[in-house]
Amino acid sequence: MGDEFESDTVVASGNQDELIMQQQRQIEREISESTALVGDLEPIASLNNEYSNDVVYLEKIKDLASKYKYMRRTRPDGNCFFRAFTYAKLERLLDNKIDFANFYKIVEGSKHALVELGFPQFTVEDFYDTFIDVLKRLGDIKTATDAKKELHTLFNEQGYSDYMVVYLRLLTSGQLQRDQDFYSCFIEGERTVADFCHQEVEPMYKESDHIHIMAACAAMNTGVRVVYMDRGTSKINIEHDLPEGTQPSVHLLYRPGHYDILYL
Amino acid sequence: MPRSGWDPTEDSEQGTLTATASSRIKRDLMTIFTDPPPGLFVVGDELNLKIIHAIIVGVMDTPYEGGFFYFVLKCPNDYPIRPPKVKLMTTDAGNVRFNPNIYSSGKVCLSILGTWNGPAWSPAQQLSSLLLSIQSLLNEKPYFNEPGLVQEQIPGDSKRYNEFIQHETLRVSVCGMMENQCRLSIPEQLKDIMGKTFLEFYDQYVEIAKNNMHLDGTEMIDPFNKGRHLCHYKNLLLRLEKIRAKVMGKTWNFFKEPSCTNVDLKERQTNEEAKCSSTIAS
């Protein structure tokens, strides 16, 4: 039985797609193997190596270095915003027991809210349990320095690290769906907020946009400053606080397609 | 990271499941055992926790009604971060394409499996939601599953496709599966379920065969595949009666084959190909 239709049309284009996808995966694997999930602290000037002949970027690195002392790179695997954001947020919380306790309460209430929105209880529970487990482990450590070391270790263990990312993706999706009247105007095309969440927020490795950041901030009750560094001719990096007028507790560096963590 | 290749029986991923992955697979299976979705049966592989065997029974009022569609799934080491790989084994040894989205090679085209465009897999999904998505491909009018086909290319195509699928369901996924023509190594628990389900659906099978008896010996048209497919309802009715007698008399021993791994199974299938496809002219 010759699958003519299949081989002529569907499979032909399918194969090509698959080849492209395979190539893409190969590239992704190589990147993944060469970058830590969350790296060590580095001086801002370490960026110079990447742009040694690039006048525009060198100027901007100078500007960045006048405001920030350090950065921490994250693996560019499409999860970088969620990983960087969660890491930076928790790292900051470890300096203040009261803030940490308040945050713990927010997370504790979040599972129920997600289940009410229609997320399947047991899959949500899986990621929630890990998230809470990590918070507990960090909260039990006496000194902030030791807790930060543990945070760094956990975020570089793929299992924990990915589960943290998944839970924040779910929280972000939940926030978008709960406030869909507000967020729908940011979504291009015919897609509903729920469609958008299924396609762009919940799946792993999907990159984040402005709308993801807004919703993640709202879900975590956190302000974030994003410093945009790109090819634009201005000598100064554009900064954006989300939500607007907030006192940011997390600072992120955005270069096209990628987020890293910044330190004042 | 996403993996290349769709075929669970040719998956090259080595290593072991992470602790979270193995506990998640067990919980996924447990939710199906405790609250089984209609027409969906799964069992974990005895030797390898990564491998799941599933049978989807074709839903009533679809051309797949009462058919046994046997799938093999393989979970990646970091499941549920990435989705399982899935293969339909009920293909008459690679000869029948049961759906525009399920090829005769067993490949299932579904966006959550990464084998088609659209919403990707999310770790919040689970084995039951995946299998339900596959079950929903086996619907009343599968012709329109073909991307881009909102209306029939030739009027009557959808009806003709249904007639073809209905016949092949009885021939391959009911009789062929019950007789285990293609020597698939289906786990015992699933065979028991097939036996019970066969008896439940038996009257329907017979009714379908009788209602279509006037087509016996005529040629069916598969709008997606050229080639001649002859109707064999008379023969199918005889096979159904024989299978029923064996199941009722508990002499149903088509499955008393030594069990084999999925790799062996692939080779066996190739050997059996000639036998399996003998009823179809191409």
Side-chain angles (χ1 to χ4, degrees):
Chain A
M1 212 161 103
D3 276 358
E4 294 237 345
F5 191 87
E6 192 174 301
S7 53
D8 284 348
T9 57
V10 181
V11 159
S13 65
N15 275 347
Q16 206 159 13
D17 283 351
E18 199 143 293
L19 272 180
I20 295 169
M21 274 156 74
Q22 271 180 23
Q23 247 169 353
Q24 206 180 333
R25 283 166 193 156
Q26 184 56 34
I27 296 169
E28 284 168 350
R29 248 194 308 278
E30 280 164 18
I31 294 170
S32 139
E33 278 157 16
S34 67
T35 317
L37 288 165
V38 183
D40 292 324
L41 276 186
E42 294 177 64
I44 299 295
S46 71
L47 284 168
N48 286 333
N49 308 332
E50 288 173 52
Y51 303 103
S52 51
N53 293 316
D54 195 319
V55 187
V56 178
Y57 267 101
L58 287 176
E59 278 297 331
K60 294 201 168 167
I61 295 168
K62 225 182 267 175
D63 174 57
L64 190 68
S66 73
K67 290 165 187 152
Y68 293 94
K69 285 200 189 84
Y70 302 106
M71 67 178 293
R72 208 189 273 284
R73 292 170 200 269
T74 62
R75 181 177 292 178
D77 62 357
N79 294 317
C80 54
F81 164 72
F82 288 104
R83 212 181 307 268
F85 181 67
T86 314
Y87 183 101
K89 170 75 182 168
L90 295 182
E91 191 181 28
R92 189 66 193 269
L93 286 171
L94 292 174
D95 289 324
N96 187 322
K97 294 263 179 207
I98 296 166
D99 288 350
F100 188 89
N102 288 335
F103 181 75
Y104 191 93
K105 273 185 207 140
I106 296 179
V107 176
E108 264 190 325
S110 64
K111 181 182 80 179
H112 184 63
L114 285 178
V115 173
E116 279 199 328
L117 274 170
F119 284 88
Q121 166 125 15
F122 112 82
T123 53
V124 166
E125 222 156 56
D126 204 21
F127 306 107
Y128 166 84
D129 288 348
T130 300
F131 204 100
I132 283 286
D133 179 39
V134 166
L135 289 185
K136 275 189 190 144
R137 280 169 76 160
L138 296 175
D140 287 346
I141 298 172
K142 285 213 173 69
T143 71
T145 320
D146 288 346
K148 284 179 186 177
K149 268 186 205 151
E150 177 71 358
L151 174 74
H152 196 71
T153 309
L154 290 176
F155 264 76
N156 278 298
E157 265 177 43
Q158 189 98 43
Y160 278 107
S161 207
D162 283 349
Y163 265 48
M164 300 297 277
V165 169
V166 172
Y167 197 62
L168 192 62
R169 282 185 178 275
L170 297 181
L171 287 179
T172 304
S173 169
Q175 190 69 34
L176 285 162
Q177 296 186 59
R178 212 172 359 255
D179 273 344
Q180 51 180 304
D181 292 344
F182 171 69
Y183 290 111
S184 59
C185 58
F186 296 96
I187 295 171
E188 286 169 27
E190 297 284 293
R191 285 191 283 187
T192 64
V193 171
D195 287 344
F196 178 82
C197 288
H198 299 328
Q199 291 165 16
E200 308 292 343
V201 184
E202 292 159 20
M204 291 292 274
Y205 315 111
K206 284 277 178 185
E207 289 184 10
S208 300
D209 246 320
H210 202 78
I211 181 170
H212 298 75
I213 305 179
M214 284 195 297
C217 284
M220 302 264 268
N221 192 24
T222 302
V224 59
R225 174 168 294 171
V226 183
V227 181
Y228 291 88
M229 194 156 91
D230 58 24
R231 210 133 269 301
T233 46
S234 151
K235 288 187 176 177
I236 293 170
N237 299 298
I238 294 162
E239 295 172 355
H240 209 137
D241 289 350
L242 293 163
E244 254 171 79
T246 186
Q247 184 63 40
S249 63
V250 168
H251 295 254
L252 298 176
L253 171 64
Y254 177 81
R255 288 175 288 162
H258 185 62
Y259 294 88
D260 293 303
I261 308 170
L262 289 171
Y263 295 84
L264 287 167
Chain B
M1 291 288 125
R3 293 170 299 167
S4 53
W6 61 269
D7 191 339
T9 60
E10 286 177 0
D11 183 52
S12 60
E13 189 180 53
Q14 300 291 315
T16 51
L17 292 166
T18 63
T20 45
S22 47
S23 77
R24 227 332 257 282
I25 292 170
K26 287 177 198 158
R27 290 177 70 188
D28 274 21
L29 291 172
M30 203 47 80
T31 51
I32 301 181
F33 297 150
T34 49
D35 186 16
L40 214 156
F41 304 95
V42 295
V43 55
D45 190 271
E46 274 186 353
L47 303 173
N48 187 347
L49 186 57
K50 295 180 193 182
I51 308 273
I52 316 281
H53 306 264
I55 287 212
I56 295 178
V57 179
V59 175
M60 292 268 219
D61 300 321
T62 72
Y64 303 96
E65 182 170 340
F68 302 108
F69 297 91
Y70 169 48
F71 293 85
V72 169
L73 287 73
K74 186 180 177 196
C75 294
N77 292 340
D78 63 356
Y79 180 79
I81 299 298
R82 293 175 298 156
K85 292 184 175 189
V86 181
K87 181 177 192 170
L88 174 64
M89 308 303 286
T90 308
T91 57
D92 195 15
N95 285 294
V96 175
R97 178 182 174 184
F98 267 107
N99 192 283
N101 301 56
I102 306 177
Y103 298 158
S104 54
S105 59
K107 179 177 181 177
V108 180
C109 295
L110 203 60
S111 70
I112 53 172
L113 293 174
T115 48
W116 205 254
N117 298 327
W121 169 262
S122 143
Q125 278 156 311
Q126 50 178 310
L127 292 175
S128 66
S129 58
L130 169 62
L131 289 167
L132 287 170
S133 298
I134 296 173
Q135 192 181 42
S136 73
L137 293 174
L138 307 176
N139 55 34
E140 294 154 302
K141 291 182 178 171
Y143 178 84
F144 295 104
N145 285 11
E146 179 66 20
L149 279 188
V150 279
Q151 68 182 61
E152 294 168 319
Q153 289 186 312
I154 302 167
D157 263 357
S158 174
K159 186 170 166 279
R160 280 190 287 275
Y161 191 53
N162 276 11
E163 282 171 2
F164 169 72
I165 294 295
Q166 192 169 43
H167 180 272
E168 296 301 83
T169 294
L170 266 195
R171 183 178 73 84
V172 177
S173 71
V174 178
C175 294
M177 285 291 284
M178 289 301 289
E179 293 161 356
N180 200 15
Q181 242 186 354
C182 296
R183 307 268 184 111
L184 299 170
S185 60
I186 303 170
E188 288 299 326
Q189 297 99 308
L190 293 180
K191 292 173 197 167
D192 291 345
I193 287 161
M194 285 168 61
K196 280 182 202 136
T197 313
F198 176 88
L199 295 179
E200 283 165 25
F201 272 95
Y202 183 74
D203 292 344
Q204 263 101 320
Y205 299 144
V206 170
E207 197 184 321
I208 292 167
K210 285 188 173 159
N211 287 345
N212 288 291
M213 202 50 82
H214 62 284
L215 296 172
D216 194 65
T218 64
E219 203 173 306
M220 297 179 293
I221 293 163
D222 172 3
F224 297 116
N225 288 304
K226 289 175 190 152
R228 297 176 64 231
H229 317 282
L230 288 179
C231 258
H232 294 283
Y233 279 112
K234 204 185 273 177
N235 173 258
L236 287 175
L237 196 57
L238 288 173
R239 284 167 77 185
L240 285 167
E241 282 165 5
K242 267 189 200 164
I243 296 166
R244 179 168 182 267
K246 291 212 173 188
V247 176
M248 297 285 280
K250 303 209 188 297
T251 54
W252 181 43
N253 59 356
F254 300 112
F255 288 114
K256 289 287 178 275
E257 293 293 325
S259 66
C260 58
T261 68
N262 284 305
V263 183
D264 296 338
L265 178 138
K266 206 170 145 27
E267 284 164 15
R268 281 180 169 202
Q269 237 179 296
T270 322
N271 297 337
E272 292 296 315
E273 206 158 316
K275 272 191 206 169
C276 293
S277 55
S278 59
T279 40
I280 262 204
S282 60

